[in-house]
Structure formats: C-alpha cells, structure tokens
Amino acid sequence: MRVRASLRSDGRCSVSGTRHGLDSHIKVLRGDNIEAAGERAARHLLDADQLPTAVVAFNDQSAIGVLAGLARAGVSVPGEVSVAGYDDDRLSRLSCFDLTTVSQGAEEQARYAVAAAVERLDQGRTEPREVVLAPHFVVRRTTAEPR
C-alpha cells in the first residue's frame, strides 16, 4: 500500500487514517486553501523518491493546484496519482478539472441557515440548535480504483 499524501491547512491527520491503520502511510503537508498551495505541495511530492497513489486536499482550490503541478510534470491523473478535494465548488465541476470531491451540501446548508434566522427573528428562538448534515463523496475523473 502506498497511500502517503494528505494536504490540510491545519496540518492534522484525519481520524480515518489512524482508525484504519494507515497513519504510517500518510504524509501531511502544511498548506493553504488556494491553488498556489496545491502547486507547492505537488512540487514537494514530485521531489520525493516515490509519488503517492493519492492526494486528498484541504479543499477543491488546493486540489486544482495539485492537478496543475502534476500536469506540468507530466504525471497522469488518475493514471499515476488520484486527486480529491473537499467542498464541491463550481470550478471542480468544470470539464477541464472534473475533480473528485466531498460535497458539503451548500444548498441544504443555506436552507437550514435561513430557517434558523427566520426562527430567531419571527419566533424569538434564542437557544442554540445543532444541525449535522452528512457530506457525500462525488466521484469524477481524478480518482481511480485503489492500487
């Protein structure tokens, strides 16, 4: 197994990597939430002895930067490296990227936020309320079957 790379702005590993015994295969690179950070991460990965099989980026913008950096180096995505982002922004849906991502359900978030505001303004609700919305994985062209 060669799963090694994860890009998060806060520099922390995900719980799933630890829970599934992948922590020794994960490399976390500090970054930011913009394309330039993803490109820097790609250059760092390209300088290593071996490319990872997959990169999971902090968000879609940094994942697009990873795609750009890998493309400039002639690395096939998803042939050699799979890339996934997080937040399903409009750019990720463009055919030139067609980025695999995790959708946070922005429309559903907006509906709940508006409903909560109306409850506070019209019904006088003052106590906090927690709503947990499940994200979903959107598979597009930047990921391949596990190797």
Side-chain angles (χ1 to χ4, degrees):
M1 179 181 302
R2 290 188 304 129
V3 177
R4 293 182 34 221
S6 177
L7 175 65
R8 291 181 51 154
S9 70
D10 62 4
R12 295 182 310 165
C13 291
S14 70
V15 174
S16 64
T18 302
R19 186 172 62 221
H20 296 290
L22 297 176
D23 40 341
S24 66
H25 300 283
I26 294 174
K27 181 175 183 172
V28 177
L29 305 176
R30 291 191 181 271
D32 200 348
N33 59 356
I34 59 175
E35 290 93 349
E39 288 190 65
R40 282 191 303 276
R43 284 193 301 274
H44 181 80
L45 295 171
L46 290 163
D47 289 341
D49 293 337
Q50 186 178 29
L51 283 172
T53 58
V55 174
V56 178
F58 171 73
N59 66 2
D60 288 352
Q61 291 212 345
S62 57
I64 288 169
V66 170
L67 290 175
L70 293 175
R72 282 192 189 91
V75 175
S76 170
V77 173
E80 295 175 70
V81 178
S82 290
V83 177
Y86 191 94
D87 65 25
D88 197 20
D89 74 17
R90 292 180 192 268
L91 283 178
S92 69
R93 300 174 200 159
L94 294 176
S95 62
C96 60
F97 300 119
D98 212 12
L99 178 68
T100 295
T101 187
V102 176
S103 175
Q104 301 177 80
E107 289 179 20
E108 190 176 11
Q109 284 181 10
R111 279 194 298 277
Y112 276 102
V114 170
V118 169
E119 285 176 8
R120 289 182 82 94
L121 294 171
D122 292 348
Q123 299 167 9
R125 182 179 61 80
T126 58
E127 72 283 346
R129 183 170 54 125
E130 182 176 304
V131 176
V132 178
L133 304 175
H136 64 275
F137 194 49
V138 181
V139 179
R140 295 193 181 112
R141 289 185 314 146
T142 60
T143 51
E145 292 295 316
R147 303 183 245 300

